[in-house]
Amino acid sequence: MKGNSRLRQILTPGLIIMLALAFTAGAQTYPNSTFQPHSELGRSIDFLWNRLFLLATIVFVLVEGALIYVIFRYRHTGKETEKPPQTHGHAVLEVIWTLIPALILLFIAVPTVRIIFQTQAKVAAGALEIDVIGHQWWWEFRYPEYNITTANEIYIPVGRTVNFKLNSNDVNHSFWTPELGGKRDLIPNHTNYIWFTPDSTMKSSVWNGFCTEYCGTSHGKMRFRVFTVQPAEFASWVAGQQRPATFGATAPAVPAPASAPTVAPPPSNGAQLASLPVGYTFPHNQPEFAYAKPNTPIPADLNFTKGLTGSAARGMQVYSSAACIGCHAINGNPSSVGVVGPNLTHFGSRSTIAAGNFPNTPAYLALWIKNARKMKPGVIMPTLGLNEYDPQLKKPVEKAMGGLDDQQIADIVAYLSSLK
Ligand code: HEC
Ligand SMILES: [Cu+2]
């Protein structure tokens, strides 16, 4: 009797917690969840997971149930008068407990092997190829079919199979978009592929992507975004990306012409920045899912002069004679042909800075250019703000090292933001 009520004491709350978990699990959509897949690849893996989980649950309940039953049913009561019958070898039992695991393994192995072959198969003809190149700690994306190079954000049309060709520029990385499918490693000197088809019934959406293979200091900040858009939206995005940079292929004279676009002055300090509304929407003015917004704090000691207005025309001059051009390419700006950092040709059309870490607004961009190494530890991009402390060189940036004052940075911000 005493044993039974103690059992109830343990089981009742346990059951309530399990039921509560089961109900809440279905009640909400979680960011970065693999349980609502939006491609055939995601669904295959989800199916396999469900199958294994179901079988494992059945085994668990049967085994633990039998165990608990036997423990209580045959517990030592002190009233036993003689030893129970002793069994040595039991052919039927032996056969049963060999057969059951064999059957379970069969139920696991058949779909597993089938899905391994399915997910490793070569992609069908007609897929959209996207070359993915991992860098510490950002993503380069190339569309050979359209001759486009971009970074950290991919656009793919719903309903068309995409074949990602995975390579790395430095160390191992891994490509993963939890809600669409994945993951697969990017290995130096070795090409991997992963392909899937975003569901054709999907409305235009944005998904988070991650590096899931530790690759150094800022591995956790190596994110990307996938925009699944309608075919017509994709076509217009492609057309936009194929054009050279929209702002001034030839450098205009300083001071800037009246028509030069300007940006609102970046605010003065981190606290103010954090409270700014995140000023971008996508796709095409549809609000984004809240969870796809970057949420990376700004270093508290990184400030920017109040009330500056940038000039894109001046900014192009400053940019084109600064260190930037050695690392960044802007198609249409003949002096900017570097390949160390992300291609900036259409930087103004991206929603984030620095591999999904900060919203692409003038305020964040100004701080990024001023001290990228404070915003994202370890990056190759140097600290460029005059008198800013470079955490890697462990000294402040001087004029002779190419240090830029806040007005020059505001001008570059105006220039880069105009590159839609
Ligand atoms: C030594 C090479 C180097 C120099 C010089 C350099 N950058 Fe960078 N830049 C990088 C790298 C690498 C990244 C990617 C960092 C990351 O996200 O991890 C980057 C990222 C950026 C980004 C974010 C791009 C994106 O899509 O997320 C911008 C904007 C940028 N740099 C602007 C500039 C400007 C403006 C200058 C000059 C004032 C400059 N960079 C100088 C290497 C460089
Ligand atoms: Cu990584």
Side-chain angles (χ1 to χ4, degrees):
M1 227 34 278
K2 204 164 159 241
N4 266 351
S5 67
R6 190 170 307 144
L7 184 63
R8 221 174 295 137
Q9 262 176 17
I10 300 168
L11 280 186
T12 317
L15 214 78
I16 291 171
I17 291 171
M18 270 165 67
L19 280 176
L21 281 178
F23 280 123
T24 49
Q28 218 189 325
T29 51
Y30 288 95
N32 316 323
S33 160
T34 55
F35 297 123
Q36 286 117 12
H38 296 281
S39 74
E40 81 285 47
L41 173 67
R43 265 191 300 279
S44 299
I45 294 168
D46 193 50
F47 161 82
L48 197 58
W49 195 90
N50 284 339
R51 165 71 63 94
L52 296 190
F53 190 67
L54 178 74
L55 289 170
T57 308
I58 293 172
V59 169
F60 178 82
V61 169
L62 289 180
V63 170
E64 298 306 310
L67 186 66
I68 289 171
Y69 172 79
V70 168
I71 286 173
F72 282 93
R73 173 70 181 75
Y74 299 106
R75 70 189 181 281
H76 178 63
T77 57
K79 290 180 205 147
E80 294 88 351
T81 50
E82 58 189 74
K83 261 190 173 179
Q86 304 293 301
T87 313
H88 297 282
H90 192 300
V92 178
L93 261 183
E94 299 268 359
V95 169
I96 289 177
W97 70 48
T98 308
L99 265 185
I100 292 179
L103 278 177
I104 293 173
L105 280 184
L106 197 72
F107 279 113
I108 291 174
V110 169
T112 304
V113 171
R114 184 169 59 79
I115 285 167
I116 287 176
F117 275 93
Q118 185 189 322
T119 55
Q120 296 289 334
K122 238 183 127 169
V123 70
L128 168 64
E129 183 184 312
I130 300 182
D131 297 351
V132 178
I133 301 140
H135 296 257
Q136 283 170 315
W137 294 273
W138 60 280
W139 302 86
E140 182 174 347
F141 297 119
R142 295 189 193 152
Y143 294 65
E145 185 181 333
Y146 302 112
N147 202 12
I148 292 172
T149 302
T150 183
N152 303 327
E153 294 186 357
I154 333 174
Y155 283 64
I156 52 180
V158 297
R160 181 167 175 198
T161 303
V162 194
N163 188 26
F164 296 97
K165 187 178 167 193
L166 311 172
N167 282 290
S168 170
N169 187 55
D170 33 54
V171 298
N172 286 5
H173 303 278
S174 187
F175 179 83
W176 191 32
T177 321
E179 286 152 298
L180 290 173
K183 49 186 115 154
R184 202 150 293 167
D185 283 3
L186 288 75
I187 300 167
N189 302 316
H190 174 88
T191 303
N192 268 346
Y193 293 89
I194 189 168
W195 56 267
F196 56 74
T197 316
D199 291 346
S200 56
T201 50
M202 233 193 309
K203 59 181 198 326
S204 297
S205 312
V206 49
W207 312 98
N208 291 331
F210 303 92
C211 177
T212 51
E213 178 76 39
Y214 180 73
C215 59
T217 312
S218 276
H219 158 68
K221 293 177 189 284
M222 184 171 166
R223 306 178 207 154
F224 61 97
R225 291 165 151 215
V226 182
F227 295 92
T228 46
V229 295
Q230 305 310 310
E233 273 178 297
F234 179 71
S236 76
W237 178 81
V238 165
Q241 296 286 311
Q242 282 174 328
R243 281 192 287 273
T246 40
F247 188 83
T250 45
V254 186
S259 65
T262 55
V263 289
S268 63
N269 62 55
Q272 234 178 314
L273 270 180
S275 65
L276 276 188
V278 177
Y280 59 87
T281 51
F282 195 87
H284 299 279
N285 304 326
Q286 290 174 35
E288 281 184 70
F289 294 133
Y291 62 75
K293 285 191 181 131
N295 180 25
T296 310
I298 308 160
D301 55 345
L302 190 52
N303 298 299
F304 205 85
T305 312
K306 262 194 191 117
L308 292 180
T309 302
S311 143
R314 270 201 317 262
M316 195 174 83
Q317 303 267 357
V318 181
Y319 173 92
S320 305
S321 52
C324 328
I325 53 174
C327 293
H328 292 287
I330 294 180
N331 185 8
N333 180 337
S335 58
S336 184
V337 290
V339 292
V340 176
N343 186 302
L344 300 178
T345 305
H346 295 280
F347 175 74
S349 70
R350 295 212 268 274
S351 64
T352 60
I353 304 172
N357 280 281
F358 302 98
N360 185 2
T361 64
Y364 285 95
L365 182 55
L367 294 181
W368 173 259
I369 297 172
K370 193 163 181 178
N371 203 335
R373 289 180 174 175
K374 246 185 202 167
M375 305 273 277
K376 190 172 177 180
V379 287
I380 295 173
M381 171 143 165
T383 294
L384 287 158
L386 188 60
N387 301 326
E388 273 293 305
Y389 184 78
D390 182 327
Q392 264 149 267
L393 298 180
K394 299 202 183 332
K395 60 176 182 182
V397 176
E398 293 158 22
K399 190 100 193 159
M401 299 156 66
L404 302 167
D405 64 34
D406 283 5
Q407 181 60 57
Q408 288 174 309
I409 292 175
D411 292 340
I412 294 179
V413 168
Y415 170 52
L416 293 182
S417 305
S418 76
L419 304 176
K420 299 282 186 205

